């Protein structure tokens, strides 16, 4: 777990400490990822035979490799090595690091504790920023490295948006909010984790963003549903069915699209929701302009947005596309989104199966918390673009959901049967 902790706390290193090699920017966590790559290879050779590699891992490898291929076809070998390689590094190393090291309740708890410690640090660093409007972390880092920090403080609802060492307030808030349900689950067994619940929720609040608050609401709703129907094996399928019924019901009764209705009532600022809604509409329009774009995407070519008729939307999408899934589709094609969707379905399905197979109640609840966190992050990714540290955290949460079955008990010798099997087959002798 030491390597995992090192990686997690490297996410707190501001970008002002980055090194530049040509066009390649090596931030603190990227340097750690590069250093961990040989360790991952060694660990796979040492423990790989004990890991129950499954279809989740196969799809993960395909998802990690596809961007390099798409970049190579769109922009050439150099971009494929740099941009595609960096993306493969940021997704592959964190995923494999968790898969090879996180197996049982204690290891999942240690992983959760490390993330909650990071969230606590983020909140304590971000709180003064929310009060004063100064980005102390980046400003101090810029003074130490001699770089210039040009970030501008942004205020919403009387709160200065905290960013801490992150690149943007929405990443700060989403990262904190993603671990609320895990903190609550641990706090139900140990009271010492209740402050972490406050810090995770507080981090979402001081980011002054709608998406992190929505992420918390989704987690609390799913946790409540899980507790109410804890003995129902198909509770998540039932929840999905109820959502579909609700969607159809709203679509029939309202003269607006159900998605826009939800934006009106679920977000702090519905205007930002509408902007993202039309961003998706315009993004799909751009994506469907050519078969090549549908399959392989457009790389970093922003001229493709000129096909949009709306001048405001065109300029908005050239500057920012606030959706992780939409960015993946535009850069690497709808193929990338389809591959990632299959990967996600495999991961969430396996997580539910693992939860049912666990014998202890505390194991099931913690695995369920990781499942809820992963689902909430997946949902919020439709309105938030994950980049940098946040993208690494996302794949680590997904990897924690996959789990790893302990190695099978070996036979004690040739032609013999283990004591465990004997105990099940032969009744014990009577006590004298």
């Amino acid at each position: 777990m030491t390597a995992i902790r090192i990686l997690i706390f490297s996410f707190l290193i501001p970008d002002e400490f980055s090194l530049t090699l040509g066009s390649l920017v090596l931030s603190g966590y990227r340097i750690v990822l590069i250093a961990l790559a040989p360790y991952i290879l060694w660990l796979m050779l040492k423990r790989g035979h004990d890991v129950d590699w499954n279809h989740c891992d196969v799809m993960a490898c395909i998802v990690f490799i596809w961007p390099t291929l798409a970049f190579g076809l769109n922009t050439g070998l150099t971009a494929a090595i740099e941009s595609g390689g960096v993306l493969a590094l940021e997704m592959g190393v964190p995923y494999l690091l968790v898969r090879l090291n996180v197996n049982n309740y204690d290891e999942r708890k240690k992983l959760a504790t490390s993330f909650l410690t990071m969230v606590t640090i983020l909140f304590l660093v971000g709180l003064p920023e929310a009060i004063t409007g100064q980005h102390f972390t980046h400003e101090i880092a810029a003074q130490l490295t001699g770089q210039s920090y040009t970030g501008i403080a942004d205020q919403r609802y009387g709160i200065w948006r905290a960013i801490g060492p992150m690149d943007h307030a929405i990443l700060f808030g989403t990262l904190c909010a993603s671990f609320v349900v895990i903190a609550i689950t641990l706090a139900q067994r140990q009271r010492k984790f209740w402050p972490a619940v406050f810090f995770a929720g507080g981090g979402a609040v001081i980011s002054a963003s709608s998406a992190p608050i929505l992420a918390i609401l989704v987690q609390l709703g799913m946790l409540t549903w899980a507790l109410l129907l804890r003995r129902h094996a198909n509770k998540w399928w039932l929840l999905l069915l109820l959502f579909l019924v609700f969607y159809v019901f709203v679509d029939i009764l309202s003269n607006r699209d159900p998605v826009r209705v939800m934006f009106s009532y679920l977000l702090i600022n519905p205007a930002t929701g509408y902007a993202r809604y039309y961003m998706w509409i315009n993004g799909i329009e751009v994506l469907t302009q050519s078969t090549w774009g549908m399959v392989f995407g457009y790389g970093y070519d922003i001229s493709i947005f000129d096909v949009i008729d709306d001048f405001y939307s065109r300029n908005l999408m050239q500057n920012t596309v606030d959706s992780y899934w939409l960015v993946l589709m535009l850069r690497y094609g709808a193929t990338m989104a389809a591959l990632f969707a299959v990967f996600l379905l495999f991961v969430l399905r396996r997580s539910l199966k693992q939860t049912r197979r666990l014998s202890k109640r505390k194991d099931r609840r913690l695995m369920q918390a990781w499942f809820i966190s992963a689902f909430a992050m997946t949902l919020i990714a439709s309105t938030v673009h994950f980049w940098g540290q946040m993208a690494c955290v996302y794949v680590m949460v997904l990897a924690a959901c996959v789990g790893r079955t302990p190695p099978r008990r070996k036979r004690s010798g040739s032609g013999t049967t283990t004591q465990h099997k004997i105990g099940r087959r032969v009744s014990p002798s009577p006590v004298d």
Side-chain angles (χ1 to χ4, degrees):
M1 294 296 294
T2 302
I4 293 180
R5 292 192 184 98
I6 292 173
L7 176 60
I8 289 175
F9 293 120
S10 72
F11 296 151
L12 299 173
I13 301 175
D15 283 345
E16 283 75 16
F17 289 99
S18 301
L19 301 177
T20 303
L21 296 178
S23 59
L24 187 63
V25 178
L26 296 177
S27 54
Y29 75 91
R30 285 181 178 175
I31 294 174
V32 173
L33 288 174
I34 294 173
L36 287 176
Y39 168 73
I40 293 294
L41 294 176
W42 173 80
L43 206 59
M44 290 180 69
L45 292 174
K46 182 181 179 181
R47 300 183 186 174
H49 60 282
D50 289 335
V51 179
D52 58 328
W53 302 109
N54 52 71
H55 44 275
C56 297
D57 305 307
V58 173
M59 286 305 305
C61 291
I62 296 174
V63 167
F64 302 158
I65 293 172
W66 178 262
T68 303
L69 174 62
F71 263 127
L73 294 174
N74 275 301
T75 55
L77 182 61
T78 302
I81 295 174
E82 290 185 359
S83 300
V86 166
L87 186 63
L89 181 76
E90 291 182 343
M91 299 177 76
V93 171
Y95 179 86
L96 290 173
L97 191 62
V98 173
R99 282 287 284 120
L100 291 164
N101 286 284
V102 177
N103 173 37
N104 52 40
Y105 173 84
D106 291 333
E107 290 167 350
R108 289 192 185 93
K109 182 180 177 181
K110 289 178 182 178
L111 178 63
T113 303
S114 298
F115 274 124
L116 292 177
T117 302
M118 179 189 66
V119 167
T120 300
I121 295 173
L122 284 174
F123 175 80
L124 295 177
V125 170
L127 184 60
E129 297 184 2
I131 298 173
T132 64
Q134 288 185 270
H135 298 155
F136 294 108
T137 308
H138 287 285
E139 291 172 0
I140 294 174
Q143 292 178 0
L144 292 175
T145 59
Q147 298 187 22
S148 60
Y149 175 67
T150 58
I152 300 175
D154 181 19
Q155 191 176 35
R156 286 185 182 177
Y157 318 109
I159 300 175
W160 292 100
R161 305 184 71 189
I163 66 173
M166 309 297 287
D167 291 336
H168 196 279
I170 199 167
L171 294 182
F172 176 95
T174 303
L175 182 55
C176 292
S178 299
F179 295 97
V180 166
V181 67
I182 293 175
I184 292 175
T185 301
L186 293 177
Q188 288 175 335
R189 291 187 57 83
Q190 293 179 281
R191 293 182 180 179
K192 68 178 183 179
F193 286 102
W194 281 113
V197 178
F198 170 78
F199 294 140
V205 172
I206 63 178
S207 71
S209 300
S210 298
I213 301 299
L214 180 59
I216 292 178
L217 294 177
V218 169
Q219 292 175 75
L220 294 179
M222 293 181 67
L223 182 60
T224 303
W225 178 264
L227 292 176
L228 292 175
L229 280 78
R230 56 183 175 273
R231 298 187 183 279
H232 200 292
N234 296 317
K235 55 180 172 290
W236 300 117
W237 290 110
L238 179 60
L239 181 61
L240 177 62
L241 178 62
L242 289 176
F243 175 78
L244 293 176
V245 171
F246 170 77
Y247 186 92
V248 173
F249 182 75
V250 173
D251 192 27
I252 294 174
L253 294 183
S254 177
N255 57 359
R256 292 181 295 171
D257 187 283
V259 176
R260 283 186 283 182
V261 173
M262 287 186 282
F263 280 149
S264 300
Y265 294 101
L266 293 179
L267 299 180
I268 298 175
N269 184 4
T272 61
Y274 289 133
R276 284 170 168 80
Y277 174 80
Y278 288 111
M279 188 175 292
W280 267 94
I281 298 298
N282 294 328
I284 298 300
E285 178 185 346
V286 169
L287 190 67
T288 55
Q289 291 298 309
S290 67
T291 303
W292 179 271
M294 281 286 292
V295 178
F296 299 108
Y298 299 98
Y300 289 124
D301 181 14
I302 63 173
S303 64
I304 57 170
F305 298 132
D306 292 335
V307 301
I308 303 173
D309 295 330
D310 187 345
F311 179 79
Y312 166 77
S313 298
R314 180 170 66 248
N315 286 338
L316 180 65
M317 292 191 69
Q318 285 179 341
N319 290 311
T320 176
V321 178
D322 292 328
S323 168
Y324 182 64
W325 305 124
L326 190 54
V327 169
L328 291 183
M329 287 191 286
L330 291 171
R331 286 183 180 173
Y332 320 117
T335 307
M336 176 66 174
L339 293 172
F340 214 127
V342 174
F343 169 55
L344 284 172
L345 289 174
F346 284 167
V347 168
L348 296 177
R349 180 171 176 267
R350 180 174 172 83
S351 178
L352 293 177
K353 282 188 173 182
Q354 291 282 82
T355 302
R356 288 194 293 267
R357 290 174 181 173
L358 294 172
S359 59
K360 295 182 179 179
R361 182 181 179 184
K362 64 176 185 178
D363 292 358
R364 293 195 300 271
R365 287 198 169 183
L366 185 56
M367 176 63 90
Q368 178 180 264
W370 283 106
F371 167 81
I372 294 175
S373 177
F375 185 88
M377 293 177 74
T378 300
L379 180 64
I380 298 305
S382 61
T383 63
V384 176
H385 175 40
F386 296 163
W387 73 91
Q389 305 99 315
M390 190 66 213
C392 295
V393 171
Y394 181 43
V395 295
M396 292 177 76
V397 172
L398 293 177
C401 290
V402 175
R404 179 164 63 90
T405 304
R408 294 180 179 178
R409 187 186 298 269
K410 295 182 179 180
R411 295 181 180 272
S412 58
S414 176
T416 62
T417 308
T418 63
Q419 185 65 35
H420 176 68
K421 292 183 178 180
I422 293 175
R424 289 188 303 173
R425 196 167 54 197
V426 181
S427 60
S429 59
V431 180
D432 294 334

